[in-house]
Amino acid sequence: MVNRSTFYRHYLDKYDLLEQYLNEMYVSFEDQQVIAGPNPPEVSSSLINLLKHIQQFAGFYRVMLGMQGDPLFTQRFRHKIEKGFFSCFNQVFPELAPKY
């Protein structure tokens, strides 16, 4: 329920809003690292928080990542999430990390 002029004062269009949303989300969850210790490694709280965020706003992600969603959003979101999970996986299982 935002006035149109207020919206356009902050964003170019709905795609700009989405872009800024993604950037802010990625920054807040960027430190997806594994905490090393004597016990089995634990995933950092930022990754857990990201999954909780997705769960909390499941309706939004269902629409945006569904058949009628924005393909650019889906591509960027998927790429960033895969990168985060691979980073965690490679830290937990360095012997399985691809050698380039």
Side-chain angles (χ1 to χ4, degrees):
M1 304 311 293
V2 175
N3 187 311
R4 180 181 286 250
S5 63
T6 302
F7 177 87
Y8 286 108
R9 203 173 299 142
H10 298 281
Y11 307 103
L12 298 173
D13 54 20
K14 63 183 179 182
Y15 300 107
D16 185 40
L17 169 66
L18 251 156
E19 181 77 20
Q20 288 188 37
Y21 170 76
L22 282 175
N23 291 338
E24 288 175 16
M25 187 183 76
Y26 295 149
V27 167
S28 66
F29 299 115
E30 216 159 51
D31 66 342
Q32 297 176 3
Q33 299 175 14
V34 175
I35 301 167
N39 299 323
E42 297 177 15
V43 176
S44 73
S45 62
S46 64
L47 184 56
I48 302 293
N49 289 338
L50 173 61
L51 295 173
K52 286 181 180 179
H53 181 268
I54 293 169
Q55 182 181 28
Q56 181 181 359
F57 298 102
F60 169 79
Y61 289 100
R62 196 173 294 115
V63 169
M64 292 305 295
L65 299 172
M67 297 297 287
Q68 302 296 319
D70 179 42
L72 182 59
F73 177 87
T74 302
Q75 179 185 21
R76 287 194 61 217
F77 180 80
R78 184 176 184 169
H79 174 73
K80 197 70 167 180
I81 297 303
E82 284 176 357
K83 185 177 173 185
F85 274 99
F86 281 130
S87 174
C88 286
F89 184 82
N90 291 337
Q91 289 178 32
V92 173
F93 303 106
E95 68 278 4
L96 299 176
K99 309 289 188 251
Y100 296 103

